[in-house]
Amino acid sequence: MKKYIIYTRVSTSEQGKSGLGLEAQRRDINIFLDRFSDVPYEIIAEYQDIGSGGEDNRPELTKALALARKTGAELLVAKLDRLSRKVSFIAKIMDDKRVNLRVACMPYADKFQLHIHAALAEQERTFVSERTKAALKEAKARGVVLGGMRDPTMKRNEAAKKKADDFAQTIAPIIKSMRENNETLANIADALNKSGKPSPRGGQWTPTAVKRVIDRT
């Protein structure tokens, strides 16, 4: 009987609590199990981390990998970037002969194809980051002021709303350009974080924060 260990990951505590991203991962995993998996199969464990894909130290992934080595069950993820966004980390896992990796959205991909996909995805993220930095530099050269928008009173008054609207108008062209290039909300958030541009509240960008800017404009 085919055995699986399911691993999912979301990027922030907010996403973990709200379920953003988890529903899509579960959908892709279910499609794989229903249409592409050998039958019968058994899911022997499920693990979930809340943290960046650029971080190697994720406790639940460590547990999932240990169980995969012990049992021989396949480690099943929805997408390769749920495992990691770093080619070096993914390559290390694929080089481990005791770990059998399966990616739901690429059901027939072998290790070589997965490695190539990871490398291309990393190159794309690097390019998106550089493109965002260039766009921010151009905006600054035009005299656009890009800064944090946190209101010291933390009250949702009219002044705070106006600041949020003004901020959305300054960053919206950059986000719009990336959306026109079919970038996901998650990729846009990652690129803005890498560029050092704070979110409207002065913290890290999330897909939800990007969506709020789009909605405001």
Side-chain angles (χ1 to χ4, degrees):
M1 176 184 292
K2 178 71 70 174
K3 295 183 179 181
Y4 295 107
I5 298 165
I6 293 175
Y7 176 75
T8 55
R9 179 184 64 80
V10 288
S11 297
T12 66
S13 297
E14 179 182 357
Q15 286 179 306
K17 292 175 183 177
S18 67
L20 294 176
L22 290 177
E23 182 178 346
Q25 291 178 63
R26 173 55 65 180
R27 177 202 62 208
D28 290 350
I29 287 171
N30 286 340
I31 290 174
F32 170 82
L33 292 173
D34 290 342
R35 303 181 186 179
F36 298 98
S37 174
D38 294 340
V39 292
Y41 66 81
E42 177 186 3
I43 299 172
I44 65 172
E46 296 189 35
Y47 297 92
Q48 178 191 312
D49 275 313
I50 300 175
S52 169
E55 298 176 359
D56 294 347
N57 185 21
R58 280 173 274 146
E60 296 305 302
L61 178 57
T62 298
K63 294 176 185 177
L65 289 169
L67 186 60
R69 296 184 183 105
K70 180 179 179 180
T71 63
E74 291 190 353
L75 181 64
L76 175 60
V77 296
K79 297 174 62 179
L80 199 55
D81 66 3
R82 296 302 87 192
L83 186 64
S84 178
R85 292 183 181 275
K86 296 170 63 177
V87 176
S88 57
F89 186 82
I90 292 173
K92 184 177 179 180
I93 291 177
M94 289 193 293
D95 285 342
D96 190 333
K97 295 182 179 180
R98 296 177 298 165
V99 175
N100 296 308
L101 177 63
R102 180 74 67 167
V103 180
C105 67
M106 295 185 287
Y108 300 124
D110 58 24
K111 287 188 174 182
F112 176 76
Q113 291 169 322
L114 291 175
H115 198 148
I116 293 298
H117 179 84
L120 291 174
E122 186 172 86
Q123 287 184 23
E124 181 181 15
R125 285 191 295 273
T126 299
F127 183 83
V128 169
S129 176
E130 293 302 317
R131 184 171 63 197
T132 302
K133 290 179 182 178
L136 291 170
K137 184 176 180 180
E138 291 171 3
K140 186 176 181 179
R142 294 195 302 270
V144 176
V145 178
L146 302 175
M149 295 302 301
R150 186 178 295 278
D151 182 354
T153 66
M154 297 303 288
K155 296 179 180 179
R156 292 182 177 275
N157 51 32
E158 288 300 316
K161 182 178 182 301
K162 184 178 185 304
K163 287 183 179 180
D165 289 340
D166 290 344
F167 178 87
Q169 291 297 332
T170 63
I171 202 72
I174 298 170
I175 294 177
K176 180 180 178 183
S177 175
M178 297 178 72
R179 287 294 281 173
E180 289 175 349
N181 284 292
N182 298 319
E183 298 293 349
T184 66
L185 296 178
N187 282 347
I188 295 173
D190 285 344
L192 290 171
N193 286 329
K194 290 177 180 177
S195 73
K197 176 71 186 76
S199 72
R201 296 183 179 182
Q204 291 287 298
W205 284 93
T206 66
T208 301
V210 175
K211 181 64 165 55
R212 287 197 188 106
V213 171
I214 293 174
D215 291 342
R216 281 186 177 275
T217 56

